[in-house]
Amino acid sequence: MKKFLLWAILAVIFTSVFVSCEDASKKDDEETKNYWEEYANWRNDNLAFFEKKYAEVDSVGALVYDRVTPTWDAGSTILMRWYNDRTLTQNAAQPKSTSYIDVIYKGTTYKGSVFDDSFELTAHGDSIYRSKLSDNIKGWVIALTNMHVGDRCEVIIPHTCGYGDAYTSDLLLPYSTLVFDVELRGIPGLEKPVNAPAEE
């Protein structure tokens, strides 16, 4: 009798967990569907901006932006335009996805509204943002693993390599194309262990 009661309790628990997980999944699917419809114009405008920059050429017909696709994800492409002479930094250190990075950056929407800015951060002084590279969005991992210390560039990241369909803020809506000015200042711990930034 005790075994039967135990199995009955377990069956009820399993059923309620399964149903609640199924309900949560349906809710997530419904929310994604609603975002897809609700932000259709925003999504299309962001995609059009990315496609325009993807095809942009200078006065002699050369592409303005490098199209960067990582070997580890052939379906992802970001755009990079360099501000510095890369021959001067080509022998400098280059981060891996597991590296800690020190960067200065500003992030804007395709319309130029600032949604994030390292100049508001003071943890490491000099407005430097420090983190493990792999803890950031995919677009940052792609961009920064293609940079050397001292490089500075504009990076344009489609929503598929950014925050996807997440509603991050009133400025950073679902399906946002992200535009970053990024300067790679250093790779702390490259030659010795680095202390991770303190958790807030």
Side-chain angles (χ1 to χ4, degrees):
M1 182 67 177
K2 288 182 179 179
K3 283 186 179 180
F4 174 76
L5 185 59
L6 179 62
W7 282 109
I9 291 170
L10 288 174
V12 169
I13 291 171
F14 175 77
T15 303
S16 64
V17 167
F18 179 77
V19 169
S20 65
C21 288
E22 190 175 0
D23 288 346
S25 177
K26 285 180 184 176
K27 184 179 177 184
D28 288 345
D29 289 345
E30 188 66 30
E31 190 171 271
T32 299
K33 181 181 175 186
N34 290 342
Y35 278 173
W36 183 261
E37 294 167 2
E38 183 178 351
Y39 295 103
N41 291 337
W42 176 256
R43 184 181 69 248
N44 292 335
D45 290 346
N46 277 267
L47 289 171
F49 171 81
F50 186 83
E51 289 168 7
K52 178 182 174 186
K53 294 297 183 180
Y54 186 89
E56 188 174 330
V57 294
D58 62 18
S59 59
V60 296
L63 289 171
V64 172
Y65 295 90
D66 291 341
R67 302 166 181 179
V68 181
T69 301
T71 55
W72 44 268
D73 187 355
S76 296
T77 298
I78 64 165
L79 305 177
M80 297 178 74
R81 180 178 63 157
W82 306 89
Y83 293 134
N84 62 289
D85 180 352
R86 295 176 68 201
T87 63
L88 302 176
T89 58
Q90 64 186 354
N91 295 322
Q94 191 171 19
K96 297 180 174 17
S97 63
T98 55
S99 300
Y100 277 86
I101 51 160
D102 280 350
V103 295
I104 290 179
Y105 72 91
K106 178 172 75 170
T108 65
T109 66
Y110 86 96
K111 289 184 170 185
S113 300
V114 177
F115 66 83
D116 196 7
D117 190 339
S118 68
F119 294 96
E120 295 180 4
L121 304 174
T122 57
H124 298 288
D126 198 23
S127 301
I128 290 176
Y129 168 71
R130 175 176 291 175
S131 72
K132 188 173 184 180
L133 182 52
S134 60
D135 290 343
N136 294 280
I137 58 173
K138 185 194 295 185
W140 263 44
V141 176
I142 298 169
L144 284 153
T145 53
N146 281 278
M147 295 173 70
H148 293 83
V149 173
D151 281 340
R152 183 169 173 257
C153 64
E154 178 186 19
V155 181
I156 301 179
I157 301 173
H159 76 271
T160 52
C161 296
Y163 297 107
D165 61 5
Y167 186 102
T168 306
S169 70
D170 289 342
L171 279 177
L172 207 56
L173 302 174
Y175 314 107
S176 289
T177 294
L178 312 174
V179 181
F180 285 97
D181 275 346
V182 181
E183 181 180 353
L184 179 56
R185 283 291 187 90
I187 307 172
L190 189 61
E191 296 178 5
K192 58 185 178 180
V194 65
N195 292 328
E199 294 291 327
E200 293 184 9

